Amino acid sequence: MTDPLRLGIAGLGTVGTGVVKIVQRQAALLQARSGRAVQISAVSARTRDKDRGVRLGGYAWEDDPVALATRDDVDVFVELMGGSDGPAKAATEAALAAGKDVVTANKAMLAVHGQALAETAEAAGQVLRFEAAVAGGIPVVKALTEGLAGNEITRVMGVMNGTCNYILTRMEATGQGYNALFEEADKLGYLEADPNLDVGGIDAGHKLALLASIAFGTQVSFDNVQLEGIQRIEIADIEQARDMGYRIKLLGVAQMTGRGLEQRMQPCLVPADSPLGQLEGGTNMVVLEGDSVEQIVLRGPGAGEGPTASAVMSDVMDIARGIRLATFGQPAAGLQPATPANSAVPAPYYIRTQLFDKPGALAKVATALGESGVSIDRMRQYGHDEPTAPVLFVTHKTTKEALDAAMDGMAQCDVVDGTPVAIRIEAV
Ligand code: NAP
Ligand code: HSE
């Protein structure tokens, strides 16, 4: 009979307790599917006597996650503590050095140290897997690494932060501003301990960088993700975008261009009737495009106990079945450093300005756009809000450089009140 696969779980919070519950509840199913029992040998967390709503009595306890990671009765170290450095990194390194396989949900650690950790793991014949780190319960790492292994990937897109999508869709549904919905998300416990990870686009940027590495065979390059959060989105933008047939999403896009790897995580307008445009609440969606498959859309819960633990168990089950894939879909030592594209592929933009209502105001703004080479596709003026009126433009495709020059030109016009807002319109 095959030996059981023995887990050591560090971190018994939302995800860790979810994993314990699956191992306990689905023991027979896991054994039937992998041909061996999947068991927990030992666990670790900061506070031993916390009631976590799960039975932990049969497992050894370690205060120190490094000690847990190196125990003789642990085959797979399951890292569910979080944090890019500190105990998560120390224990992962210790586990690999001790010959253990590692499963983690920690996108922050992998976005920064993923290349080095994967090289260490693979050099020693160990595996390091991270399905749960990207888009929670959606098996997107598997889809890219295995399902689309025969495709040249042309583009990866997605809404990968549920908190931001919750805030944006609630702004639209309730007509309330960003600050009120941020408070609501906070009360519901949706925000990370450092909320800027969510609303600043950093968490979603980590996830995009991990997918881009698999998709384009490049080393993880989080520093080259162009990041912009949702903090500056106003209810006026949400409503006016909707009026023109769009919705605003914190959208990640990664694509290989002639100028290098483009990775962007920023608020974008997407057509309201597209799959991404119809995404509500905390749900995630990832769109993968390949030369043969064309486009596939994956939608599902991006966070939470059950969905994230489900993804952790997908990696655990691969190891139980003897499936030993490279962390990023090909040997880490062969991944090339990404050459960052210095500018984004041209796109149309939505521009919102507040103009003083006086003769020639529109002409001055149109001149600022024209002088920067930005062509107007559509224009709309809304009801007066004395002494100014909101005026919207949708441009033809333009470069970001031309757009920035036009925005500077507009800001200097004496007919513009405040700072104009520009948001990219993405073809999805
Ligand atoms: P969490 O609820 O905050 O739980 C973290 C756990 O780690 C807690 O049990 C904590 O112990 C333990 N811990 C923290 N520092 C420790 C240390 N120095 N030594 C030992 N244990 C320590 O976090 P989570 O939401 O489960 O997230 C875990 C990981 O999954 C993170 O990398 C996160 O980014 C990732 N993830 C989470 C979700 C989600 O929906 N929550 C989704 C995708 C990915 P105490 O309980 O004693 O404080
Ligand atoms: N904070 C993340 C989100 C959940 O809102 O999607 C974990 O990835």
Side-chain angles (χ1 to χ4, degrees):
M1 202 166 104
T2 314
D3 289 338
L5 185 75
R6 301 163 304 172
L7 312 182
I9 303 177
L12 294 169
T14 305
V15 186
T17 53
V19 171
V20 172
K21 286 178 191 170
I22 295 180
V23 171
Q24 293 177 349
R25 193 177 70 242
Q26 300 296 0
L29 178 149
L30 300 176
Q31 178 157 11
R33 288 183 178 163
S34 69
R36 61 197 292 199
V38 176
Q39 299 174 351
I40 298 169
S41 296
V43 294
S44 174
R46 269 180 304 220
T47 319
R48 184 166 187 171
D49 55 6
K50 204 188 253 185
D51 178 8
R52 300 174 190 277
V54 282
R55 285 178 287 112
L56 299 171
Y59 314 138
W61 177 273
E62 295 281 1
D63 287 324
D64 177 6
V66 171
L68 176 92
T70 53
R71 283 175 66 102
D72 288 342
D73 59 358
V74 166
D75 303 310
V76 182
F77 175 59
V78 184
E79 187 285 301
L80 301 173
M81 295 178 285
S84 60
D85 292 270
K89 177 167 173 271
T92 297
E93 287 171 340
L96 294 174
K100 318 293 184 188
D101 294 324
V102 176
V103 171
T104 180
N106 189 337
K107 58 259 174 178
M109 177 176 73
L110 291 180
V112 181
H113 303 294
Q115 176 66 27
L117 291 172
E119 282 189 35
T120 303
E122 289 166 22
Q126 310 309 135
V127 298
L128 167 66
R129 303 287 301 275
F130 65 91
E131 182 64 72
V134 185
I138 303 177
V140 61
V141 173
K142 256 189 181 298
L144 259 182
T145 310
E146 298 176 54
L148 301 182
N151 282 258
E152 180 182 340
I153 302 299
T154 47
R155 188 165 63 154
V156 174
M157 284 187 293
V159 169
M160 298 180 225
N161 184 276
T163 304
C164 288
N165 203 53
Y166 176 83
I167 291 174
L168 292 172
T169 51
R170 286 284 292 158
M171 282 172 77
E172 182 175 347
T174 65
Q176 295 178 79
Y178 169 82
N179 290 334
L181 274 312
F182 177 93
E183 295 298 325
E184 183 175 293
D186 195 17
K187 283 200 188 103
L188 290 166
Y190 287 1
L191 289 160
E192 301 268 347
D194 172 3
N196 194 44
L197 291 174
D198 286 315
V199 297
I202 299 163
D203 167 81
H206 286 152
K207 296 167 181 168
L208 184 72
L210 294 173
L211 292 187
S213 169
I214 303 173
F216 303 110
T218 50
Q219 295 180 3
V220 186
S221 173
F222 171 66
D223 286 348
N224 291 319
V225 179
Q226 294 168 43
L227 279 184
E228 187 188 323
I230 62 167
Q231 302 97 322
R232 74 186 176 104
I233 299 298
E234 294 186 15
I235 191 67
D237 297 314
I238 302 253
E239 289 173 350
Q240 285 153 10
R242 181 181 53 198
D243 235 26
M244 293 190 300
Y246 295 104
R247 295 183 87 191
I248 299 179
K249 300 289 168 195
L250 178 68
L251 185 69
V253 178
Q255 56 195 337
M256 190 58 83
T257 72
R259 296 159 292 103
L261 178 62
E262 181 177 327
Q263 302 180 90
R264 290 182 278 110
M265 183 57 68
Q266 62 184 163
C268 290
L269 270 66
V270 299
D273 59 359
S274 64
L276 282 162
Q278 292 175 42
L279 193 66
E280 297 290 340
T283 310
N284 281 197
M285 182 174 284
V286 186
V287 178
L288 304 173
E289 295 173 353
D291 60 344
S292 297
V293 75
E294 297 176 3
Q295 187 183 75
I296 64 168
V297 178
L298 303 169
R299 177 185 182 283
E305 178 186 302
T308 313
S310 158
V312 171
M313 290 308 296
S314 145
D315 287 337
V316 168
M317 285 297 279
D318 267 4
I319 294 169
R321 287 163 159 157
I323 298 168
R324 303 187 67 76
L325 294 171
T327 306
F328 295 107
Q330 58 182 277
L335 294 172
Q336 297 303 308
T339 304
N342 290 324
S343 58
V345 166
Y349 284 81
Y350 151 102
I351 299 173
R352 174 170 57 83
T353 65
Q354 197 75 22
L355 295 192
F356 287 106
D357 194 7
K358 55 186 183 186
L362 203 52
K364 283 191 180 176
V365 170
T367 301
L369 286 165
E371 282 177 347
S372 303
V374 176
S375 169
I376 299 168
D377 178 28
R378 284 190 276 162
M379 200 220 91
R380 187 174 288 184
Q381 177 170 332
Y382 284 84
H384 286 222
D385 184 13
E386 296 294 348
T388 61
V391 177
L392 304 185
F393 299 95
V394 171
T395 74
H396 285 289
K397 269 189 190 176
T398 183
T399 63
K400 181 70 170 46
E401 293 71 24
L403 180 87
D404 288 343
M407 297 296 283
D408 284 348
M410 285 167 73
Q412 283 161 27
C413 287
D414 57 2
V415 295
V416 174
D417 185 26
T419 309
V421 171
I423 306 178
R424 186 179 168 100
I425 302 176
E426 197 70 40
V428 297

